[in-house]
């Protein structure tokens, strides 16, 4: 009897334990069912041949069906009925069977009403113990809103790039159109100043024309440089140049400006400066003339000083420091950062100054491009100092013996050379012809590439000046045609263009020009 009681007790305990297990299993199933049924994202199980085994309400709603059962019974082939591109379904299944899982698979699918939307799908292949495939299960999210946002961002980016490109093209075209008449103004101002019978009044008037033209050219260059910087198309052009002569030229230009407003100008640099250095001479000149020009412009009394210093490890580092100091109006500390912004002036609102307000912004960018950093120290009422350091590699040593031939060219020693000028702008042809005829050259003109090609084959010029943008036949095509003729394979061809973009120079050289 005792053994029977113990057996019954064990049986009762087993039954109770089984009941508790079943209750826990039912609770877990209910919890799982609740999670699936109430999930925001779609959840499914499907057969390998493309039928839904089960789906949750979220997925049914996503595809436009009234219930889970409605979706399961309505879709007999997921690939053909759901996927917009069946190729994507094939890729999805191949990846799933090969790797067992798919993460973030994005594609377009059909809504029940025929509309199309984007989904992101995560899935895995469920297999039996023997490795055979049972079914797929996964989750799906509607990512249409994200895709629309990405598309809007991409469209905005493309529109911005297009607008920037249009602006660059506009500025390039305007630069070209403005430089062409300026070439005539500046060219003839220089040619006429050579006339020995000019009165002082006439010479003074020509100086005004020339200076005004140079100022206008500076404004055009500033605007063009800013557009290049914004488009990240500005590049350094490294050449070898004579540093002492370069500094003497800078000194001569600024000394004239300083003397015009009764300022003293001093330039100081060590005797051990390298003679021939490698760097972008044009951009360094632009930086120094801008800083020194500003110093003169904003100094009412006193002096402007340019000091060049050598790095402690010079010449090992080849680093030179440039310091522009003035005794001018100075800059308030709260405005020191603003002066490097485009269209900002360093002067106060009560002081009218000429210029675009782009000089310091461009100068700051150019110094950075040359590997330096532009620093400024200033005290209102006492003056400012702008400083930067860059590396200029020496080319031929450190000798200061650099003789320079300053004689004036007056003509040709040997027989006259025949020069052909091919340009559709009469003012460009006229300036060149007047300039070179005075030196003894024989000048011939053509108005387009086709006409120039015909004249060249008859007259056999010694040198050809080739405009690049012309009607009928442009300079690129004409140059290529000339280089195909054996008699012109070595004839010097010099490209002429009002374009200030580097790629134009490169294109002209690739076409066969010797120089730009």
């Amino acid at each position: 009897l005792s053994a029977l009681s113990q057996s019954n007790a064990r049986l009762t305990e087993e039954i109770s334990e089984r009941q508790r297990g079943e209750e826990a299993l039912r609770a877990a199933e209910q919890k799982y069912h609740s999670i699936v049924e109430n999930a925001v994202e779609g959840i499914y199980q499907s057969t390998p041949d493309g039928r839904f085994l089960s789906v949750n309400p979220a997925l049914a709603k996503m595809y436009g069906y009234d219930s889970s059962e409605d979706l399961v019974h309505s879709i007999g082939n997921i690939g053909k009925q759901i996927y917009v591109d069946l190729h994507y379904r094939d890729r999805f299944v191949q990846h799933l069977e090969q790797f067992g899982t798919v993460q973030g698979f994005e594609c377009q699918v059909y809504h029940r009403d025929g509309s199309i939307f984007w989904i992101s799908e995560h899935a895995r292949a469920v297999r039996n113990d023997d490795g055979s495939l049972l079914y797929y299960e996964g989750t799906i999210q509607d990512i249409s809103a994200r895709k629309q946002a990405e598309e809007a961002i991409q469209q905005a980016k493309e529109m911005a790039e297009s607008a920037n490109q249009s602006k660059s093209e506009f500025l390039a075209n305007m630069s070209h159109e403005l430089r062409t008449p300026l070439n005539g103004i500046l060219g003839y101002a220089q040619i006429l100043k050579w006339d020995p019978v000019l009165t002082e009044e006439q010479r003074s008037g020509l100086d005004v024309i020339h200076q005004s033209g140079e100022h206008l050219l500076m404004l055009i260059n500033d605007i063009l440089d800013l557009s290049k910087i914004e488009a990240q198309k500005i590049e350094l052009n490294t050449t070898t140049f004579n540093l002492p002569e370069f500094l003497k030229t800078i000194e001569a230009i600024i000394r004239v400006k300083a003397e015009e407003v009764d300022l003293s100008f001093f330039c100081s640099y060590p005797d051990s400066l390298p003679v021939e250095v490698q760097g972008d001479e044009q951009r360094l000149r632009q930086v120094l003339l801008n800083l020194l020009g500003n110093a003169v412009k904003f100094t009412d009394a006193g002096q402007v000083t340019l000091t060049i210093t050598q790095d402690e490890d010079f010449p090992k580092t080849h680093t030179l420091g440039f310091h522009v100091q003035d005794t001018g109006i100075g800059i308030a500390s709260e405005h020191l950062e603003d002066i490097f912004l485009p269209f900002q002036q360093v002067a106060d609102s009560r002081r009218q100054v000429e210029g675009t307000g782009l000089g310091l912004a461009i100068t700051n960018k150019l110094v950075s491009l040359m590997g330096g950093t532009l620093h400024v120290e200033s005290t209102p009422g006492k003056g400012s100092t702008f400083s930067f350091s860059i590396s200029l590699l020496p080319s031929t040593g450190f000798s200061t013996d650099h003789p320079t031939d300053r004689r004036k060219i007056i003509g040709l020693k040997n027989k006259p050379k025949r020069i052909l000028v091919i340009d559709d702008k009469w003012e460009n042809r006229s300036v060149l012809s007047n300039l070179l005829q005075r030196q003894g050259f024989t000048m011939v003109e053509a108005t387009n590439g086709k006409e120039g090609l015909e004249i060249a084959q008859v007259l056999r010029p010694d040198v050809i000046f080739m405009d690049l943008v012309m009607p009928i036949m442009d300079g690129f095509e004409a140059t290529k045609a000339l280089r195909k003729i054996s008699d012109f394979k070595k004839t010097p061809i010099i490209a002429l263009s009002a374009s200030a973009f580097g790629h134009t120079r490169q294109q002209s050289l690739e076409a066969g020009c010797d120089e730009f």
Side-chain angles (χ1 to χ4, degrees):
L1 183 61
S2 176
L4 182 59
S5 297
Q6 290 177 358
S7 177
N8 287 336
R10 284 197 300 271
L11 182 58
T12 301
E13 180 61 29
E14 289 176 0
I15 292 172
S16 299
E17 187 175 341
R18 179 176 295 179
Q19 288 175 340
R20 287 194 297 271
E22 290 174 350
E23 289 174 359
L25 181 60
R26 281 195 297 272
E29 288 177 346
Q30 289 175 356
K31 184 176 181 180
Y32 172 76
H33 182 74
S34 177
I35 292 173
V36 171
E37 291 296 305
N38 296 305
V40 176
E41 61 184 9
I43 302 174
Y44 71 90
Q45 289 181 333
S46 66
T47 63
D49 62 357
R51 290 179 295 106
F52 282 122
L53 291 173
S54 64
V55 300
N56 70 338
L59 189 63
K61 182 180 179 181
M62 190 183 300
Y63 284 114
Y65 291 86
D66 298 329
S67 65
S68 301
E69 291 77 12
D70 191 15
L71 175 58
V72 170
H73 294 317
S74 299
I75 303 300
N77 189 310
I78 295 173
K80 292 182 179 179
Q81 293 177 261
I82 295 291
Y83 281 70
V84 173
D85 189 341
L86 190 57
H87 173 68
Y88 278 87
R89 176 64 183 181
D90 294 338
R91 283 178 50 200
F92 172 78
V93 171
Q94 289 172 4
H95 194 93
L96 195 57
E97 292 182 351
Q98 182 177 359
F99 299 103
T101 61
V102 172
Q103 300 292 326
F105 184 82
E106 297 181 0
C107 64
Q108 289 181 303
V109 293
Y110 287 113
H111 191 273
R112 188 176 190 175
D113 63 10
S115 61
I116 296 173
F117 63 100
W118 281 90
I119 63 167
S120 175
E121 191 167 357
H122 302 264
R124 73 184 186 97
V126 179
R127 298 184 179 277
N128 212 332
D129 293 338
D130 60 3
S132 59
L133 184 62
L134 293 175
Y135 56 86
Y136 305 138
E137 63 181 13
T139 61
I140 295 176
Q141 288 181 306
D142 184 345
I143 58 170
S144 298
R146 193 194 84 198
K147 283 292 185 179
Q148 289 174 357
E150 289 175 354
E151 185 177 351
I153 292 172
Q154 181 62 29
Q155 288 179 349
K157 181 181 178 182
E158 291 174 357
M159 288 177 64
E161 290 176 350
S162 176
N164 194 48
Q165 178 66 22
S166 297
K167 182 185 72 173
S168 295
E169 290 176 359
F170 170 77
L171 289 172
N173 291 335
M174 287 304 299
S175 168
H176 187 279
E177 294 303 311
L178 290 169
R179 285 168 187 268
T180 297
L182 266 178
N183 185 46
I185 294 170
L186 293 173
Y188 268 106
Q190 293 176 72
I191 291 171
L192 291 173
K193 282 198 294 184
W194 293 341
D195 193 329
V197 299
L198 286 177
T199 66
E200 283 302 315
E201 184 179 1
Q202 291 171 330
R203 194 175 300 279
S204 177
L206 286 171
D207 286 339
V208 172
I209 293 173
H210 189 257
Q211 290 173 10
S212 298
E214 290 285 358
H215 179 65
L216 184 55
L217 183 61
M218 180 196 71
L219 299 181
I220 295 170
N221 287 340
D222 278 354
I223 294 172
L224 189 63
D225 278 344
L226 182 67
S227 72
K228 288 181 181 179
I229 290 170
E230 287 180 343
Q232 297 182 336
K233 291 182 178 179
I234 196 165
E235 296 178 353
L236 295 181
N237 180 30
T238 300
T239 60
T240 298
F241 64 97
N242 187 303
L243 182 58
E245 285 298 314
F246 167 84
L247 293 173
K248 285 181 179 179
T249 303
I250 297 291
E251 183 179 356
I253 293 171
I254 298 302
R255 190 174 301 282
V256 171
K257 292 180 179 291
E259 289 175 352
E260 287 176 351
V261 290
D262 296 324
L263 293 176
S264 299
F265 176 66
F266 300 98
C267 186
S268 172
Y269 47 87
D271 294 334
S272 57
L273 280 183
V275 176
E276 300 290 333
V277 295
Q278 295 177 3
D280 192 323
E281 180 184 9
Q282 177 189 349
R283 295 305 182 184
L284 181 57
R285 178 186 294 110
Q286 184 177 353
V287 166
L288 291 177
L289 288 180
N290 187 273
L291 293 177
L292 290 165
N294 275 349
V296 171
K297 188 188 303 182
F298 296 109
T299 301
D300 295 324
Q303 65 186 43
V304 172
T305 304
L306 170 61
T307 304
I308 292 89
T309 58
Q310 296 174 338
D311 185 78
E312 292 181 358
D313 294 330
F314 189 87
K316 183 178 180 181
T317 61
H318 313 303
T319 300
L320 297 178
F322 296 83
H323 313 272
V324 175
Q325 186 176 14
D326 63 61
T327 57
I329 62 174
I331 308 163
S333 57
E334 62 268 21
H335 295 149
L336 286 178
E337 293 185 3
D338 296 339
I339 63 173
F340 296 117
L341 298 175
F343 308 107
Q344 296 292 321
Q345 296 276 8
V346 298
D348 60 43
S349 59
R350 296 168 295 177
R351 185 183 181 109
Q352 281 295 110
V353 292
E354 62 182 16
T356 59
L358 297 174
L360 281 177
I362 294 170
T363 297
N364 190 35
K365 294 287 187 181
L366 290 177
V367 169
S368 177
L369 198 61
M370 289 188 286
T373 302
L374 186 59
H375 301 281
V376 57
E377 296 178 0
S378 187
T379 303
K382 293 186 177 181
S384 306
T385 300
F386 287 82
S387 304
F388 65 93
S389 295
I390 59 171
S391 179
L392 293 174
L393 298 178
S395 179
T396 59
F398 297 88
S399 171
T400 56
D401 182 20
H402 45 85
T404 301
D405 191 344
R406 295 186 178 276
R407 292 175 296 172
K408 182 180 178 181
I409 297 173
I410 59 173
L412 296 172
K413 185 176 181 180
N414 299 318
K415 70 174 185 178
K417 299 290 185 182
R418 185 181 289 116
I419 296 180
L420 172 61
V421 181
I422 306 174
D423 198 316
D424 63 318
K425 302 292 185 182
W426 69 267
E427 55 265 54
N428 290 343
R429 300 195 307 272
S430 179
V431 168
L432 270 176
S433 293
N434 274 277
L435 177 68
L436 297 175
Q437 277 176 346
R438 291 168 179 263
Q439 311 303 334
F441 291 97
T442 300
M443 305 301 297
V444 183
E445 298 179 11
T447 59
N448 60 68
K450 183 174 183 294
E451 182 182 344
L453 192 60
E454 294 169 352
I455 292 175
Q457 293 180 76
V458 174
L459 297 180
R460 305 295 173 88
D462 298 292
V463 179
I464 298 173
F465 284 100
M466 180 75 73
D467 183 25
L468 297 179
V469 180
M470 294 182 289
I472 303 177
M473 179 185 285
D474 64 27
F476 300 107
E477 189 177 353
T479 300
K480 290 177 182 177
L482 283 168
R483 291 307 189 200
K484 291 179 181 178
I485 302 172
S486 59
D487 290 341
F488 294 99
K489 287 191 178 296
K490 294 185 178 181
T491 302
I493 301 178
I494 302 172
L496 297 178
S497 178
S499 172
F501 286 90
H503 66 269
T504 307
R505 178 182 188 276
Q506 185 60 34
Q507 288 174 343
S508 70
L509 298 179
E510 290 174 355
C513 292
D514 296 285
E515 193 49 84
F516 177 79

